[in-house]
Amino acid sequence: MGANTSQVSDLSDNPSLKALVGTESISENDPFWNQLISFTFISPTSSGDSKLLEEAVIPLAKILSISMPMRCLGFVFLFHSQLFIWQAHNALFMIRCLLKVFIREMSEAELHQQFSYQERAPGSCGGSEDLLEELLSNLVHLIVEVPLLDITYSILFEAVTVLLVFFSYQLFYKDILRDGIIYHMCLTSRLVKTLLYNFIRQEKCPPPSTHIFEPKAEGGLLYGLASGVASGLWSVFTLGGAGSRAGIDQEHDPLPLSNQSLLLLLVLANLTDGPEWPNPYRQAITCFRNTQDTSSLPVEQPHTFQINFNSLYTALCEQQRSDQATLLLYTLLHQNTNMRTYVLSRTDMDNLVLPILEILYHVEERNSHHVYMALIILLILTEDDAFNRSIHEVILKNVTWYTERSLTEISLGSLLILVVIRTIQFNMTRTRDKYLHTNCLAALANMSAQFRCLHQYAAQRIISLFALLSKKHNKVLEQATQSLRGRQGESAALPDYAQDLSVIEEVIRMMLEIINSCLCNSLHHNPNLVYALLYKRELFEQFRTHPSFQDIMQNLDTVIGFFSQRLEQAGSDLSVERVQEVIMKGAQALPKDRLKKFPELKFKYVEEDQPEDFFIPYVWSLVFNSGVGLHWSPHGIELFSMDSG
């Protein structure tokens, strides 16, 4: 690119690039290479400029332009010379630009061939070196070994980004790639650990005034060149280059290294297992332990390491507004038993649960995958009885994002119930996704036996949801009956009404079981639910004789009849306070043996077969949409449709 190029439009006339793609060979020791990577090119900040850059790079598809900048990676380890760090960053940026084109234009095997190419003088012998393996090794070594400082921030970001681009072949294939040459070339659990720590540290892109390249009078001519050129590059990076997308400034996207490291981590964790190659990155994520854990492992596990769980938990709590952080939380809770045990032991679970509930509350604004991940996280958490008890002991003040009703004081458990019920109602009226409401109901069912001191509004919403289901059931039943009358004498099957009716009755059954579970296990703890049940008792009459609900309705009839009788004995025109007093005393007096025992409601999240069919397109859609400083033409993407997510 050379030192004189400052914008995309200048690339076609750049003398260094013209020489690079020319017919004359250039020796490794030629000063040309030093000039080539000594540029102050401004990284594109808009999709239009990114497209122009990619088009300008296409003619440079000559392996020499990769192999020589790659050799400059060694410069980054010479910290006494800031000039080398700057040049190594530029070399990485060039490699990234070229790689994106090569990956789009050629197969992985062809790319590997290109990296293995080496010119030789006539009569010389010797095998060619594998530059691809050397480059990947250097990238991993750089990411893992170089400390994160102001001076190294941009080169670490570029190294992570280049590695991310290396795996981007998947974008251009509709089918999931089951193996690849590069999968086996950068195996190290330390890479996983470093990427996690990059996410944990949440380091902002340093401002130009703090880095080591500030001009110094005593630095001499060479130092002045390095400081002057690198300062310009650093300003571009922090104010609108690789650290931002079009229209997004540093204030709104201040964590490029953290974001990019998390995306690469998710890509690595979701690589498929090969026939003889269990994914080592997933193994590392599955078994890493807390730095505070001093116990010895019964059997030494491969790829294991230790990391500070408290720092990781804090970062996860703070970053749940992004899809990728929620996906990481899901991955850790589902796959790492050490992390799941630690999270469930925390006494400040509200810091984690509240952001998850906020995702679900704003379901209209979130993509469906983000909502799924948030919901499955709740389902995993509710598998633990201690969690289900403890969330009712955490009292929240003024939940500002819940706008349907002022909640000046409510337990975390009651808020969770409110948000899940709202999600079910949204799904019933909008998306009608069976998977979504099944998981919502499973979470409520897991919690039901430990419902404690339900907020009045939460109790009302449980019964209101049942009322909505009852109304929907009657409507579908009426439509099915009318359709049946109009089709007398025809042998054709009914429309979808029968199936709709079956689904609604399944949901009604689950809601009755949830209410029954609460009444059987913690009736005396939930006077507000009994009050709401009595207030809307007529809702349940139509299901008393229904064959699908008769057994479960026996307990509800017993509770409704018992408390109705006590209220009648207390007199007429009772105040709300007096009704609640009668319920409280009645809850202590109701013999438990009058309620029929049912199996405990317990649901466990299990990934479906071939989960990669969901997760790999999801992860790459996040890279496509959220990768910092990355642009791919949507026309070449085969893995997912542009409206997915």
Side-chain angles (χ1 to χ4, degrees):
M1 296 196 181
N4 297 323
T5 297
S6 60
Q7 55 189 355
V8 174
S9 58
D10 295 337
L11 287 176
S12 59
D13 298 322
N14 182 273
S16 296
L17 295 183
K18 284 184 175 181
L20 181 65
V21 297
T23 56
E24 294 185 14
S25 63
I26 306 172
S27 71
E28 293 188 13
N29 299 320
D30 196 297
F32 164 82
W33 299 111
N34 188 62
Q35 181 184 5
L36 177 69
I37 57 175
S38 300
F39 60 84
T40 56
F41 175 77
I42 299 176
S43 303
T45 58
S46 70
S47 58
D49 277 352
S50 296
K51 182 172 181 290
L52 286 174
L53 175 60
E54 204 155 294
E55 289 173 350
V57 168
I58 289 174
L60 309 183
K62 181 178 180 182
I63 189 54
L64 206 53
S65 60
I66 290 184
S67 61
M68 293 313 301
M70 188 275 294
R71 298 183 190 283
C72 300
L73 289 177
F75 294 168
V76 75
F77 302 109
L78 305 175
F79 282 100
H80 64 277
S81 175
Q82 292 80 17
L83 176 62
F84 288 158
I85 298 175
W86 159 57
Q87 288 182 321
H89 172 276
N90 286 357
L92 276 175
F93 177 70
M94 287 185 65
I95 292 169
R96 190 235 291 192
C97 293
L98 293 165
L99 267 178
K100 281 186 81 273
V101 176
F102 290 154
I103 287 172
R104 191 185 68 188
E105 300 291 333
M106 63 180 68
S107 69
E108 191 177 19
E110 289 172 328
L111 180 68
H112 192 207
Q113 268 188 330
Q114 292 291 317
F115 271 92
S116 302
Y117 170 77
Q118 186 173 7
E119 279 194 53
R120 301 196 178 280
S124 64
C125 59
S128 63
E129 57 184 320
D130 192 331
L131 295 178
L132 179 59
E133 187 171 357
E134 184 181 348
L135 173 55
L136 288 168
S137 175
N138 280 340
L139 284 171
V140 173
H141 189 68
L142 192 160
I143 294 167
V144 168
E145 298 293 345
V146 174
L148 176 54
L149 308 168
D150 284 355
I151 188 177
T152 61
Y153 191 101
S154 66
I155 194 168
L156 288 172
F157 167 83
E158 200 60 57
V160 169
T161 304
V162 172
L163 204 50
L164 189 59
V165 169
F166 258 116
F167 286 93
S168 65
Y169 267 108
Q170 180 64 81
L171 279 171
F172 307 102
Y173 289 85
K174 193 170 186 62
D175 296 329
I176 303 301
L177 298 181
R178 303 286 169 180
D179 202 1
I181 296 171
I182 62 171
Y183 288 19
H184 310 274
M185 289 189 175
C186 44
L187 312 181
T188 169
S189 59
R190 290 187 65 196
L191 177 60
V192 173
K193 181 177 181 179
T194 303
L195 295 173
L196 271 174
Y197 267 123
N198 286 349
F199 167 72
I200 288 170
R201 291 178 66 173
Q202 300 291 313
E203 291 284 351
K204 293 186 177 181
C205 201
S209 59
T210 62
H211 62 77
I212 202 168
F213 286 134
E214 286 304 294
K216 296 181 180 179
E218 66 276 15
L221 179 60
L222 181 61
Y223 190 89
L225 171 65
S227 65
V229 175
S231 293
L233 179 68
W234 204 269
S235 299
V236 168
F237 184 80
T238 56
L239 298 179
S244 70
R245 297 184 296 280
I248 300 180
D249 57 21
Q250 185 186 351
E251 180 182 354
H252 295 97
D253 190 11
L255 307 169
L257 179 60
S258 173
N259 180 74
Q260 216 84 321
S261 296
L262 178 52
L263 291 173
L264 177 57
L265 180 65
L266 292 172
V267 166
L268 295 174
N270 286 281
L271 294 176
T272 56
D273 295 330
E276 300 177 358
W277 186 83
N279 183 347
Y281 311 107
R282 186 183 298 123
Q283 289 181 319
I285 285 175
T286 299
C287 64
F288 73 78
R289 300 192 298 160
N290 193 356
T291 50
Q292 306 301 315
D293 185 358
T294 56
S295 62
S296 58
L297 292 172
V299 179
E300 189 61 33
Q301 295 172 306
H303 312 298
T304 190
F305 60 88
Q306 289 184 301
I307 203 165
N308 188 306
F309 277 15
N310 180 61
S311 299
L312 179 55
Y313 178 82
T314 301
L316 287 167
C317 292
E318 292 174 350
Q319 296 298 316
Q320 286 307 304
R321 63 184 176 274
S322 77
D323 280 69
Q324 45 266 43
T326 304
L327 182 53
L328 176 63
L329 175 58
Y330 158 79
T331 303
L332 296 178
L333 288 176
H334 178 54
Q335 298 184 11
N336 190 311
T337 54
N338 302 319
M339 188 66 191
R340 181 168 64 250
T341 301
Y342 175 84
V343 168
L344 289 168
S345 72
R346 295 285 302 206
T347 58
D348 59 346
M349 282 295 296
D350 51 309
N351 289 336
L352 185 68
V353 175
L354 278 173
I356 298 299
L357 294 182
E358 194 170 355
I359 293 168
L360 292 176
Y361 186 77
H362 296 293
V363 60
E364 302 95 334
E365 303 167 15
R366 302 289 181 178
N367 70 70
S368 61
H369 290 1
H370 199 183
V371 172
Y372 283 153
M373 290 300 102
L375 185 55
I376 293 170
I377 286 167
L378 289 185
L379 179 55
I380 292 172
L381 294 175
T382 60
E383 292 171 14
D384 183 76
D385 285 342
F387 170 83
N388 295 329
R389 287 190 295 270
S390 66
I391 55 176
H392 293 288
E393 299 168 1
V394 178
I395 305 301
L396 308 170
K397 306 281 188 181
N398 299 316
V399 183
T400 55
W401 50 261
Y402 193 96
T403 57
E404 291 173 39
R405 174 169 171 156
S406 176
L407 299 176
T408 55
E409 185 172 294
I410 189 171
S411 71
L412 179 61
S414 288
L415 181 64
L416 195 159
I417 292 167
L418 283 174
V419 173
V420 171
I421 287 176
R422 184 180 184 274
T423 306
I424 295 173
Q425 291 176 322
F426 173 82
N427 183 54
M428 286 174 60
T429 56
R430 304 279 187 88
T431 57
R432 302 181 67 188
D433 185 333
K434 182 180 178 180
Y435 180 85
L436 191 65
H437 74 237
T438 298
N439 282 284
C440 285
L441 291 167
L444 289 177
N446 284 346
M447 296 169 59
S448 59
Q450 278 85 33
F451 282 173
R452 294 289 187 276
C453 304
L454 290 184
H455 190 279
Q456 178 184 0
Y457 186 51
Q460 290 172 5
R461 298 307 293 163
I462 291 174
I463 305 303
S464 295
L465 175 58
F466 189 85
L468 179 63
L469 290 167
S470 176
K471 183 177 179 181
K472 197 170 184 66
H473 177 267
N474 292 339
K475 183 178 179 181
V476 174
L477 193 60
E478 182 182 348
Q479 289 172 332
T481 304
Q482 290 175 352
S483 178
L484 184 61
R485 287 173 184 162
R487 298 167 66 89
Q488 287 180 352
E490 297 182 22
S491 59
L494 282 172
D496 295 333
Y497 296 132
Q499 185 177 353
D500 287 349
L501 194 64
S502 174
V503 170
I504 292 171
E505 289 183 352
E506 184 182 317
V507 176
I508 288 175
R509 172 77 190 191
M510 181 68 81
M511 283 302 300
L512 288 172
E513 289 183 347
I514 288 168
I515 295 170
N516 176 69
S517 174
C518 177
L519 296 178
C520 289
N521 292 282
S522 55
L523 182 146
H524 59 290
H525 288 300
N526 292 289
N528 284 330
L529 183 61
V530 176
Y531 184 96
L533 194 64
L534 293 171
Y535 190 72
K536 294 286 188 179
R537 70 189 83 176
E538 72 281 356
L539 280 173
F540 301 90
E541 291 178 1
Q542 62 177 308
F543 301 109
R544 185 175 294 127
T545 58
H546 195 292
S548 298
F549 312 124
Q550 269 183 317
D551 58 338
I552 202 81
M553 279 301 303
Q554 290 178 16
N555 281 349
L556 270 70
D557 276 343
T558 299
V559 170
I560 291 172
F562 176 83
F563 283 99
S564 295
Q565 185 179 18
R566 293 184 74 94
L567 287 173
E568 287 176 8
Q569 294 171 352
S572 58
D573 297 327
L574 300 178
S575 66
V576 173
E577 291 75 15
R578 176 61 179 146
V579 171
Q580 289 176 331
E581 183 184 340
V582 172
I583 291 172
M584 291 285 287
K585 290 181 179 178
Q588 302 297 327
L590 177 64
K592 290 186 177 180
D593 58 5
R594 289 184 59 180
L595 298 179
K596 179 184 176 182
K597 290 292 183 184
F598 284 83
E600 184 181 11
L601 289 181
K602 274 297 171 187
F603 293 87
K604 186 177 179 63
Y605 169 72
V606 179
E607 274 188 351
E608 296 186 9
D609 293 338
Q610 296 184 310
E612 63 272 15
D613 290 343
F614 170 82
F615 285 102
I616 290 178
Y618 180 31
V619 168
W620 278 106
S621 72
L622 295 180
V623 176
F624 181 85
N625 290 304
S626 306
V628 181
L630 286 171
H631 164 79
W632 282 278
S633 170
H635 303 298
I637 306 301
E638 295 286 341
L639 183 62
F640 51 82
S641 60
M642 288 301 105
D643 57 352
S644 65

